[in-house]
Each structure stands twice: as structure tokens, then as C-alpha cells.
Amino acid sequence: MARTKGTVFVALKSFVTRMYGYDAWKQYLAQLEVSDRRQIEMPSAKEWYDLGVMLRSLQILDVVFGKDSGDVVYDFGRHEADRDLNTLQRVFLRMANPAFVIEKATEYWRNFCDFGEWRVERNGKKTATAILLGVPVTDPVYCRELSGYLQRLFELVGAKNVHSEHTRCRSRGDAQCEWVGKWE
């Protein structure tokens, strides 16, 4: 069973209440399966949760607030990156090349997920490819959340005019998920 840390659900509650209000969090929870709702109603950042709960939660987020477009899940990924990188880390990381920062961020993946592995390839001074291997599920909503997270991570460490593209995706039949980031 693949698991993810509860920080994602703490960020999810923060995102929904900030963007849509506390009543919206109740509305959102009401759309979840009872077993999922019981787990994330009062999320704990320290606990581990089944990855399936996260995927279903993202799907419901997309349906309830995003009209099944993927946009709200992307925005949530950006919000999650904001929460994960505190101000002190941002200042320190702005002194490094964004590709280096992405490489270091991939080392922390196991603190939040007990599955998968990232590989980062530098394609020049202002381009990098991030490849996610070994994820036990394929879900376009999950990839959309990661796309928002990665885009925001580049911005938070000082990259300007960031363009990122999810060039390969397991949910589209590719062997792995891959994101290419370019910046100034």
C-alpha cells in the first residue's frame, strides 16, 4: 500500500477554507466517501495516509470547486508548495540554481511519500527535466497537482518567467511522468 504524509491534507484544508470559506470545507467533506471523510476531517501532518485517499480527495476537489477542469487542483499544488517552503528556506534557496533546488527537493520526497523516486536532468543552465518513477497509480489529477507544485517551487526559489510542461504522463500511456521546466 502506497502512503502519503498528512501534510497534503493539512494543506488541502487550508486551501479550501482560504479560497472558499469554512463552510466550503464542510461541503467538500460531505462529497467524500465516509471512510475518507473520517480520515481527513481533522488531518494530522504527522500521520501517514493511504495514497488512494489522497487521489480520491483530489478528484473530489476538482469536481466540487474546479468543474472537473484540473485548474483548482493545479492551484492547490501551488498552495501546497507555498506551505512547504517557509520564508527562511526561500531566501536560502534563491541563492542556488533552480535546477539544483529541484534536485534537492527530490531528496525530500520520501519524507512525504513512501513510493516513487525522482530523477532530475539538467538540460542547460536554465532548463531541467524532472522524471517521476515508480508511482503505483496513474491519475491525471495527481499529475496536475504535481505540475502546480513544481511550477510554484521554481518561482519560490527565484526563477523568473517559468514555463513548465508535463511532457510525458503515465495516464497518457507513457512509461513515466516527466516535467520540463525552463526559466530566466
Side-chain angles (χ1 to χ4, degrees), residues 138 168-177:
T138 57
R168 293 186 186 167
C169 185
R170 289 189 58 218
S171 69
R172 296 188 306 245
D174 294 312
Q176 65 215 16
C177 284

Side-chain angles (χ1 to χ4, degrees), residues 12-13 16 28 41 44 49 54 57 59-61 66 85 99 107 115-117 122 138 140 153 155-156 161 164 166:
L12 180 61
K13 183 176 182 179
V16 169
Y28 167 77
E41 237 171 341
S44 168
Y49 296 81
M54 178 187 161
S57 298
Q59 291 162 352
I60 295 296
L61 176 71
L85 266 145
E107 293 175 14
F115 59 88
E117 175 185 341
R122 293 188 191 207
T138 57
L153 185 60
E155 294 167 0
L156 289 172
N161 298 318
S164 65
H166 188 35

Side-chain angles (χ1 to χ4, degrees), residues 92-111:
F92 171 73
L93 293 174
R94 281 181 182 258
M95 294 183 271
N97 179 295
F100 172 78
V101 172
I102 295 298
E103 288 169 352
K104 290 299 162 196
T106 62
E107 293 175 14
Y108 291 102
W109 176 260
R110 287 291 182 178
N111 292 331

Side-chain angles (χ1 to χ4, degrees), residues 34-79:
V34 173
S35 61
D36 290 351
R37 179 174 49 244
R38 286 185 183 141
Q39 289 185 61
I40 71 165
E41 237 171 341
M42 300 294 288
S44 168
K46 295 179 182 180
E47 297 296 321
W48 287 92
Y49 296 81
D50 183 311
L51 178 62
V53 175
M54 178 187 161
L55 295 176
R56 290 187 297 274
S57 298
L58 291 176
Q59 291 162 352
I60 295 296
L61 176 71
D62 192 36
V63 169
V64 172
F65 300 110
K67 299 179 182 152
D68 213 13
S69 68
D71 293 341
V72 74
V73 175
Y74 180 87
D75 292 342
F76 167 65
R78 292 176 59 81
H79 173 82

Side-chain angles (χ1 to χ4, degrees), residues 1 10 15 20 28 32 47 84 91 148-149 164 174:
M1 171 176 77
V10 172
F15 176 76
Y20 307 103
Y28 167 77
L32 295 171
E47 297 296 321
D84 286 353
V91 170
Y149 191 100
S164 65
D174 294 312

